[in-house]
Amino acid sequence: MAFSFEDRARQKAAARARDEDRLARGEISAADLQKENAHFARALSGQNGPFRVGFPVKGKPGKRRYMEFPPNKAPKDGS
């Protein structure tokens, strides 16, 4: 199935309407809703484990170096 921009726009509109309803009913605070919807910030904060970003190595096709956010504090050699 191909990606549909129209379907995605409908999904986002429905999610916004759901969020507005939850706020109006007092089910959730604005601050809590913002935290709930901040996927990238949550990933960078390490709440879901380390967030890894891969970078290609110049002159070595297919090879990547990775950086973790937050940085992994454990030594690589296991000592």
Side-chain angles (χ1 to χ4, degrees), residues 21-33:
D21 289 342
R22 290 172 68 198
L23 280 171
R25 287 192 309 264
E27 182 179 320
I28 192 167
S29 71
D32 289 338
L33 183 61

Side-chain angles (χ1 to χ4, degrees), residues 6-79:
E6 292 82 15
D7 288 344
R8 183 64 184 138
R10 279 192 289 277
Q11 290 171 352
K12 290 174 104 177
R16 282 191 208 100
R18 233 181 358 260
D19 289 346
E20 287 176 12
D21 289 342
R22 290 172 68 198
L23 280 171
R25 287 192 309 264
E27 182 179 320
I28 192 167
S29 71
D32 289 338
L33 183 61
Q34 187 174 16
K35 287 178 189 175
E36 187 178 288
N37 289 333
H39 304 292
F40 190 73
R42 190 169 50 246
L44 285 178
S45 72
Q47 290 180 15
N48 298 328
F51 180 73
R52 288 178 42 152
V53 178
F55 299 96
V57 176
K58 187 175 181 180
K60 298 183 181 178
K63 181 144 175 77
R64 292 189 166 273
R65 293 214 172 160
Y66 293 91
M67 183 178 291
E68 289 186 352
F69 298 95
N72 188 354
K73 304 288 186 198
K76 297 231 182 230
D77 61 3
S79 59

